[in-house]
Amino acid sequence: MQVKLKKISSDASFREYYRIQKNLSSSILVRAHKDSFKNLIVYAAVNKLLIENRIKAPKLLNEYFKNEMMEIEDLGAHSFFNHIKNKKNKFGEYKKLIKIILKLQNIKLRNYINIKKYKIGINIYNIKELHKESDLFFQWYLKNNSKKKDFSKYKDKIKKELNKIYKKLYFQNQCLVHRDFHISNIMIKKNNFGLIDSQDIIKGNLLYDVASLIDDVRIVLPINLKTQLFNYYLSKTKKIKIGEKKIAKDDFDILSVQRNLKILGIFVRLYKRDNKSNYLRFLPYTWQLLDLRLKNPMFKDLKNLLNKAIPKKNRKKVKF
């Protein structure tokens, strides 16, 4: 039997991927060069949970956890991004992803996932966790894009305003949240849609993955399509009552803002710390998404602070 090993593109994690080709079949060898527990064991455990609940995910084939490696099912090289970018009827295709989110949200909540000898805890997406993520905006983006005296002044004011906003979230800890549900984390093989990069799963808000998908920085979608997708989700979920739709939209906007502030920080960190400059090209559109959601009147004070901290003329900056 002829076996070929080929390195394939990595993601924003500390994992490396190699495709193992065995005659007509293939699998993926995953190597974690940092935080192997999360990047291998937790990832394998979450995939097991997803598969048990009829969501396609990479199945664990062989584990070499002691050597910081594992072999998983190959879900192919064709992502939803490749699939959708030239499609005219994007709404029809995106509805399939909304259905995956609904499946994920219907999984019975639990405190632990078991795999092999390991018991994996599932954390809660509380305000402390939301701040921990949006703090990446201050630590990496704002710090590298403002004068020292301005950094301290605006950091404290923006954090205080974010704290007020996060306290307004309504649909808290009601479902499992993938936490990075976007079009490059959905793989398509033989018309089957598979979900990857799921190791950060957490108990959180119904609208988080919806915001992650609809306000994805990797693809520019028309505003009317974004609205269509949001309304489609509302029409299909059984967890949001008719009278709660305005509240759901507010939660969506808050989580979109929180996520995109986090993304600004993460993408600068990927460049500064990990020498991955390709993510910087997404920064201007991330600001466009923020500006879109900051139109909600609840963000009046936050919008003013961000405009002062990062003037609009500086938001096209992709070099740090």
Side-chain angles (χ1 to χ4, degrees):
M1 179 174 67
Q2 188 177 21
V3 178
K4 292 181 180 179
L5 188 69
K6 182 182 178 182
K7 187 172 183 179
I8 55 179
S9 59
S10 61
D11 54 19
S13 73
F14 290 105
R15 292 188 296 260
E16 293 177 351
Y17 301 90
Y18 300 84
R19 179 165 279 113
I20 304 171
Q21 195 73 45
K22 303 174 186 176
N23 295 335
L24 297 177
S25 65
S26 67
S27 59
I28 300 293
L29 181 69
V30 186
R31 177 177 174 267
H33 51 89
K34 190 174 180 181
D35 197 2
S36 61
F37 181 79
K38 175 183 174 183
N39 283 300
L40 297 180
I41 298 167
V42 175
Y43 186 34
V46 174
N47 287 339
K48 177 173 173 279
L49 174 67
L50 296 176
I51 293 166
E52 288 171 353
N53 286 276
R54 298 179 296 108
I55 297 174
K56 185 74 174 171
K59 183 181 179 182
L60 179 65
L61 302 178
N62 292 294
E63 59 100 340
Y64 315 103
F65 294 148
K66 288 183 180 179
N67 296 313
E68 299 183 329
M69 292 186 292
M70 66 179 177
E71 184 183 3
I72 60 174
E73 181 183 2
D74 185 0
L75 298 188
H78 193 65
S79 71
F80 188 81
F81 175 78
N82 306 128
H83 173 75
I84 197 67
K85 59 184 178 181
N86 295 320
K87 291 271 185 182
K88 289 185 178 179
N89 180 22
K90 286 183 169 60
F91 178 60
E93 296 300 307
Y94 264 93
K95 288 198 303 187
K96 298 173 185 176
L97 302 194
I98 295 290
K99 288 175 181 176
I100 296 175
I101 290 175
L102 291 165
K103 272 189 181 182
L104 181 64
Q105 294 184 349
N106 285 329
I107 294 175
K108 186 177 179 181
L109 284 178
R110 60 189 72 189
N111 294 323
Y112 298 96
I113 312 172
N114 295 305
I115 187 169
K116 305 290 182 180
K117 63 180 181 180
Y118 303 98
K119 191 176 183 181
I120 314 297
I122 303 178
N123 294 326
I124 292 174
Y125 224 158
N126 54 27
I127 287 183
K128 183 180 177 181
E129 191 70 31
L130 291 169
H131 275 296
K132 182 180 175 182
E133 292 186 349
S134 53
D135 280 353
L136 293 169
F137 168 76
F138 306 112
Q139 295 161 7
W140 293 94
Y141 188 94
L142 188 62
K143 196 172 185 177
N144 285 286
N145 206 4
S146 62
K147 295 176 182 177
K148 192 173 182 180
K149 61 175 183 176
D150 291 336
F151 169 71
S152 298
K153 179 174 70 172
Y154 288 118
K155 175 188 173 183
D156 293 341
K157 288 182 178 180
I158 294 170
K159 281 193 72 168
K160 188 176 179 180
E161 187 58 32
L162 284 173
N163 193 56
K164 291 180 190 174
I165 290 165
Y166 295 160
K167 286 180 178 178
K168 294 179 181 180
L169 286 166
Y170 181 79
F171 296 99
Q172 298 187 48
N173 311 324
Q174 294 185 329
C175 67
L176 289 178
V177 173
H178 180 274
R179 219 164 163 188
D180 207 14
F181 198 100
H182 60 72
I183 57 176
S184 295
N185 277 341
I186 308 290
M187 307 305 294
I188 304 175
K189 188 176 183 181
K190 296 179 181 177
N191 292 320
N192 289 317
F193 286 56
L195 184 57
I196 64 169
D197 207 13
S198 308
Q199 70 282 345
D200 290 324
I201 207 164
I202 201 165
K203 286 182 278 190
N205 192 294
L206 290 165
L207 283 307
Y208 190 92
D209 284 338
V210 182
S212 178
L213 175 65
I214 293 174
D215 282 354
D216 185 353
V217 301
R218 292 156 188 80
I219 186 168
V220 178
L221 296 180
I223 293 174
N224 66 325
L225 176 56
K226 290 176 180 288
T227 303
Q228 265 188 301
L229 290 167
F230 180 74
N231 289 335
Y232 178 75
Y233 168 77
L234 290 181
S235 73
K236 294 297 180 181
T237 182
K238 295 178 181 178
K239 296 181 181 291
I240 297 175
K241 299 170 186 174
I242 293 174
E244 296 175 328
K245 290 187 177 181
K246 171 63 170 64
I247 299 170
K249 180 58 169 59
D250 284 347
D251 273 21
F252 175 96
D253 288 345
I254 292 170
L255 294 168
S256 178
V257 166
Q258 184 269 351
R259 177 172 171 78
N260 283 307
L261 287 173
K262 173 180 77 169
I263 284 172
L264 288 173
I266 287 175
F267 286 179
V268 173
R269 183 179 69 180
L270 284 166
Y271 169 60
K272 287 281 189 179
R273 187 191 67 186
D274 305 330
N275 200 30
K276 296 179 179 180
S277 61
N278 57 313
Y279 290 93
L280 294 181
R281 71 187 191 275
F282 297 120
L283 297 184
Y285 184 56
T286 307
W287 272 113
Q288 287 183 44
L289 290 172
L290 276 164
D291 286 338
L292 174 65
R293 300 308 167 195
L294 288 170
K295 290 177 181 178
N296 187 320
M298 78 164 76
F299 298 122
K300 181 183 175 183
D301 292 338
L302 177 62
K303 183 178 179 179
N304 289 335
L305 285 169
L306 287 171
N307 285 341
K308 290 175 183 176
I310 309 289
K312 293 198 174 184
K313 63 181 181 181
N314 294 343
R315 295 179 184 182
K316 294 182 180 180
K317 183 177 179 181
V318 293
K319 292 183 179 179
F320 286 81

